[in-house]
Amino acid sequence: MSIRVERVAEQMKKEIAQLLQDEIKDPRIGFVTVTDVELSNDMQHAKVYVSIYGDEEQKRQTLEALSRATGFIRREIGRRIKLRVVPEIVFKYDASIERADRIARLLSQIKAEER
């Protein structure tokens, strides 16, 4: 990835996180954290990885609400970041935080059993 693509991806990450926190009022969107944005080299497509707190049903509803809000988010990104073409946005679920938490709990459990 070029430096420009990385900078635009990082700016998109910040703007989307801010939009989710302040602008979008959909009650189906629970506690969501934007973990990463992968932008294609031609900046036509963006994968936005999100971590969602809640059970499987809440995660499914949140991803559905995010996909329905994609037009609004894309329009706001176009206004906030001056780009010739605003990338198509796809939201993807990121389970890395849950895996890290599970590993930390397992390590704590092993440590407690050793004592």
Side-chain angles (χ1 to χ4, degrees):
M1 246 195 293
S2 73
I3 293 172
R4 181 168 189 267
V5 172
E6 289 178 24
R7 284 195 334 240
V8 170
E10 188 61 32
Q11 186 64 33
M12 282 184 66
K13 178 180 169 183
K14 290 177 187 175
E15 295 295 339
I16 292 171
Q18 196 271 328
L19 279 169
L20 291 176
Q21 182 179 9
D22 298 335
E23 302 289 326
I24 297 180
K25 303 299 182 200
D26 191 330
R28 295 176 296 172
I29 298 177
F31 186 71
V32 177
T33 304
V34 179
T35 57
D36 195 21
V37 173
E38 283 184 5
L39 200 56
S40 63
N41 286 334
D42 62 357
M43 295 197 298
Q44 296 288 320
H45 304 282
K47 292 180 188 173
V48 179
Y49 292 93
V50 292
S51 176
I52 304 166
Y53 181 76
D55 61 15
E56 292 302 316
E57 180 63 21
Q58 289 171 325
K59 292 174 186 174
R60 185 191 62 73
Q61 286 182 353
T62 299
L63 281 175
E64 183 180 309
L66 288 173
S67 68
R68 294 185 126 233
T70 300
F72 171 76
I73 293 170
R74 193 167 174 231
R75 184 173 54 249
E76 287 298 311
I77 292 296
R79 279 190 9 182
R80 296 175 183 209
I81 304 173
K82 301 298 182 209
L83 297 172
R84 191 175 313 142
V85 177
V86 180
E88 292 288 329
I89 297 173
V90 176
F91 287 96
K92 301 279 187 175
Y93 177 68
D94 183 7
S96 63
I97 293 175
E98 290 176 0
R99 284 194 303 266
D101 182 51
R102 182 173 179 267
I103 290 170
R105 281 187 278 124
L106 289 172
L107 290 173
S108 296
Q109 184 181 7
I110 290 170
K111 196 173 192 179
E113 289 174 0
E114 287 177 352
R115 293 183 190 155

